[in-house]
């Protein structure tokens, strides 16, 4: 079967289990999940969906999210959209409007706070930038290695340009995405944000100081673009239609541009500097403790959706220092999950269903994709999720300790984790030393996660309930492949 046929088969297997094309209100995807807006949640066959070999788990948030893994989801989503479009009947404008209103009302009815909605908007601005951050980060790492070795001196300047070009203009992309997310004209958001990186701002004085290109960074670009959106909306409301095409974009760039130059750049620059200084101070003075807390609490933050607040912080640190010292520490949370999963595998020798789930999910776990292990193993079992977080805490504490001793370990991009982060590592010491410290943190997370789960992750009742012979649940799938076992039901610990 070709790759296209395989992706089409996966999409075809999923569609009937989520209620068919008529039940799909929206389709989107992130790095690992197919995100569906459903018209009727009750039509979804959860267990059958989880049993599909290609499905690593499901998550319910503002959308119904099916975990397919990195790479796969980007290829399956277009096939899924094509199937939905092909099966969708024609609707009147009133019917479509009613359906849209129903979906919007259902989403609002979910347990959403204004703060979480704001964080989701922030994530929507920065997440589309991750592929470029990863690609440029890896090129930067390769270029640094070649420079240190003295190889290919005629090529390294070109690699440096490739690695640095995106970061030099990242404020423009942030402004573009911000305006798009907040309902403005994207190009106007990008135009206002471009002021921040324009070399000519070095000739301007604000608050008694000469501005510097890039001052304020991505935070300034975000603020400038939000302001541009509000100015544009005001203009659309009050400017006559005959003059709108000339007046609105002019006033939008002029007003928000002046505020950006004579206000936002200075303020955002001070905030950005404070973020970098605080991160450096925290790890220099309380590195082990800070790493322990961050590594241990990161997965609960992910479960609550609060981790999205860290995205602009990571981006600001990368923009300022060339790498973020927080990501390698937070990546230890995944190491704790891997160690815990191995312990669960050994503690439940008779439960073939859970053991098969772990065997299929471990490779992704080592590469930093922890969702299959979280939602398929540790979280449903309860206590192993807690002991996995303990493993992440010790891994984070290990890396934090070396930061405290003066050995910074950072990542030049956000997104990857686990072993996939090795090509993106950077720091203030040699690359070999940086890699060794990160590897040591991973080993600490694996080991403590395993030990904590093996000895304290199971009560007697939990073992009696789950260490039993199981048979795979046969579920017919459209792709014709064998059914995967069901994940364990959540239990009280």
């Amino acid at each position: 079967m070709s790759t296209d046929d395989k992706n089409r088969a996966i999409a075809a297997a999923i569609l009937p289990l989520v209620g068919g094309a008529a039940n799909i209100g929206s389709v989107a995807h992130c790095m690992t999940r197919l995100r569906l807006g459903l018209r009727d949640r009750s039509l979804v066959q959860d267990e059958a969906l989880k049993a599909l070999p290609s499905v690593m788990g499901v998550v319910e948030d503002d959308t119904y999210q099916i975990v397919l893994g990195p790479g796969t989801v980007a290829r399956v989503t277009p096939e899924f959209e094509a199937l939905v479009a092909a099966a969708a009947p024609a609707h009147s404008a009133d019917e479509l409007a009613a359906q849209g209103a129903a979906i919007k009302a259902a989403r609002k009815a979910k347990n959403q706070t204004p703060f979480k909605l704001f964080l989701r908007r922030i994530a929507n601005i920065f997440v589309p930038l991750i592929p470029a951050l990863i690609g440029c980060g890896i090129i930067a790492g390769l270029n640094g290695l070649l420079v240190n070795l003295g190889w290919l001196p005629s090529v390294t300047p070109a690699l440096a340009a490739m690695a640095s070009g995106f970061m030099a203009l990242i404020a423009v992309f942030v402004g573009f995405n911000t305006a798009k997310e907040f309902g403005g004209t994207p190009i106007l958001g990008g135009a206002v944000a471009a002021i921040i990186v324009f070399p000519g701002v070095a000739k301007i004085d604000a608050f008694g100081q000469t501005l510097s290109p890039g001052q304020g960074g991505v935070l300034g670009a975000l603020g400038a673009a939000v302001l541009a959106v509000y100015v544009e909306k005001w203009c659309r409301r009050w400017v006559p239609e005959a003059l709108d095409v000339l007046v609105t974009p002019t006033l939008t760039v002029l007003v928000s541009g002046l505020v950006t130059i004579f206000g936002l750049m200075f303020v955002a620059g001070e905030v950005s500097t404070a973020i970098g200084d605080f991160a450096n101070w925290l790890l220099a003075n309380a590195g082990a403790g800070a790493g322990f807390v961050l590594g241990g609490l990161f997965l609960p933050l992910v479960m609550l959706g609060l981790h999205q607040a860290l995205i602009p912080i990571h981006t600001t640190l990368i923009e300022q220092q060339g790498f973020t010292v927080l990501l390698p520490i937070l990546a230890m949370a995944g190491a704790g999950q891997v160690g815990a999963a191995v312990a669960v595998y050994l503690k439940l020798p008779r439960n073939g269903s859970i053991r098969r789930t772990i065997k299929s999910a471990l490779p992704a776990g080592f590469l930093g994709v922890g969702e299959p292990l979280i939602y398929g193993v540790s979280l449903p079992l309860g206590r192993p999720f807690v002991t996995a977080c303990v493993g992440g805490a010790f891994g984070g504490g290990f890396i934090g300790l070396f930061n405290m001793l003066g050995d910074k370990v950072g990542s030049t991009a956000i997104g990857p984790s686990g072993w996939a982060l090795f090509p993106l590592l950077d720091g203030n010491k040699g690359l070999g030393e940086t890699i060794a410290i990160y590897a040591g943190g991973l080993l600490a997370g694996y080991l403590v996660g395993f030990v904590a789960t093996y000895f304290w992750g199971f009560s007697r009742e939990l073992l009696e309930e789950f260490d039993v012979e199981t048979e795979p649940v046969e579920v017919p799938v459209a792709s014709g492949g064998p059914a995967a076992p069901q994940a364990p039901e959540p239990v009280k610990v």
Side-chain angles (χ1 to χ4, degrees), residues 35 57 83 88-89 93 102 143 193 205 293 337 359 367 380 397 402 446 453:
R35 297 172 179 256
L83 291 176
N143 184 62
D205 290 335
V293 173
Q337 284 292 326
K359 286 175 66 176
L367 292 174
F402 278 90
Y446 296 152
T453 304

Side-chain angles (χ1 to χ4, degrees), residues 404-466:
M404 193 173 175
L405 297 175
D407 294 311
K408 290 185 179 181
V409 177
S411 169
T412 57
I414 57 177
S417 183
W419 292 2
L421 198 61
F422 277 112
L424 296 168
L425 291 177
D426 197 0
N428 62 338
K429 299 294 178 67
L431 182 60
E433 187 173 341
T434 301
I435 290 175
I437 295 171
Y438 180 73
L442 287 177
L443 290 175
Y446 296 152
L447 180 61
V448 176
F450 172 84
V451 171
T453 304
Y454 192 87
F455 290 103
W456 298 287
F458 286 86
S459 63
R460 179 178 300 177
E461 293 79 10
L462 199 62
L463 278 175
E464 290 175 354
E465 181 176 355
F466 283 97

Side-chain angles (χ1 to χ4, degrees), residues 5 42 52 74 78 98 116 123 128 142 160 179 184 211 219 266 272-273 287 367 383 408 459 461 464 479 484 491-492:
D5 291 339
S42 65
L52 293 178
K116 284 188 178 181
L142 175 62
L211 297 177
L219 298 182
F266 176 81
S272 299
T273 301
L367 292 174
R383 193 178 293 183
K408 290 185 179 181
S459 63
E461 293 79 10
E464 290 175 354
S479 61
V491 297
K492 296 181 180 179

Side-chain angles (χ1 to χ4, degrees), residues 115 118-120 122-123 301 305-314:
F115 182 62
F118 173 75
L119 291 181
R120 187 167 291 113
I122 296 299
L301 288 177
L306 299 178
H307 66 296
Q308 295 167 341
L310 296 170
I311 296 177
I313 296 176
H314 286 312

